[in-house]
Amino acid sequence: MLIRSQDKEILINFNNSPAIKIMGTKGDVTIICSDTYETFVIGNYSTREKAMKVLDMIQGAYVNGHIDYQIPADSEVGE
């Protein structure tokens, strides 16, 4: 599955990415994708809860066989 970053400037092959994780606990929470050599910011959210929802969305898209996923803007993720 391909994941496009929130700013649309990064396209990640999820199948080759060892980790997608949340950094930060309150305010300016970031979702990053990292491999052995680099770390990429793929989304920024106002709360940890919103970032967790996005991780749930990514997981759901992957499980349901979607071939691509666009990281949503903070305003597109409900509390």
Side-chain angles (χ1 to χ4, degrees):
M1 180 172 81
L2 297 177
I3 298 175
R4 189 164 205 135
S5 63
Q6 196 175 51
D7 66 6
K8 299 181 176 51
E9 293 183 6
I10 303 169
L11 193 58
I12 297 153
N13 184 341
F14 183 72
N15 298 325
N16 294 335
S17 179
I20 293 179
K21 62 183 178 177
I22 295 172
M23 298 293 289
T25 54
K26 25 180 165 161
D28 298 328
V29 178
T30 302
I31 297 178
I32 64 165
C33 177
S34 61
D35 64 18
T36 307
Y37 305 105
E38 292 187 76
T39 299
F40 303 98
V41 173
I42 59 172
N44 292 296
Y45 296 93
S46 57
T47 66
R48 184 173 181 77
E49 291 74 21
K50 284 186 176 186
M52 287 296 291
K53 274 190 173 182
V54 173
L55 284 186
D56 291 344
M57 291 175 189
I58 293 169
Q59 181 180 4
Y62 183 79
V63 167
N64 291 317
H66 294 252
I67 60 170
D68 62 352
Y69 182 78
Q70 170 67 52
I71 298 292
D74 184 76
S75 62
E76 297 172 321
V77 181
E79 288 292 332

